[in-house]
Amino acid sequence: MVIGIIASLALLTLIAYRGFSVILFAPLCALVAVLTTDQYLIPNYTEVFMSAAGKYVKDFFPVFLLGAVFGNVMEASGMSRSIAEFITNALG
């Protein structure tokens, strides 16, 4: 049981390290973790993983939305370029 959890976590880490989307591969890694246990597949997958994923999106959606809006405002105003040029000139 613990080996499956560690294997799925290692797989997810490898996928993230290779630059693939964690959002797309997290359900597959959760599926690997569930398949290595003696629990039932569908109840664990739908009630445990999907409810936790939904709660995460609900809790952090405002943070992601405001971060995206802030990034667009910084880019549109040219402030990000001036900050980057300042840091480049200061550090060399």
Side-chain angles (χ1 to χ4, degrees), residues 3-83:
I3 294 173
I5 294 170
I6 292 172
S8 65
L9 183 61
L11 180 64
L12 188 61
T13 304
L14 179 68
I15 288 169
Y17 180 72
R18 298 285 176 144
F20 294 106
S21 175
V22 174
I23 294 174
L24 296 177
F25 286 100
L28 295 175
C29 291
L31 186 64
V32 169
V34 170
L35 287 175
T36 58
T37 65
D38 57 348
Q39 303 292 320
Y40 293 109
L41 175 66
I42 298 300
N44 274 322
Y45 196 71
T46 57
E47 294 173 10
V48 176
F49 176 77
M50 295 308 287
S51 64
K55 183 180 180 318
Y56 177 80
V57 169
K58 181 184 71 129
D59 290 344
F60 290 103
F61 181 74
V63 175
F64 297 144
L65 180 67
L66 290 175
V69 169
F70 179 71
N72 282 337
V73 168
M74 291 287 285
E75 184 179 0
S77 68
M79 190 65 168
S80 59
R81 180 177 299 277
S82 67
I83 291 172

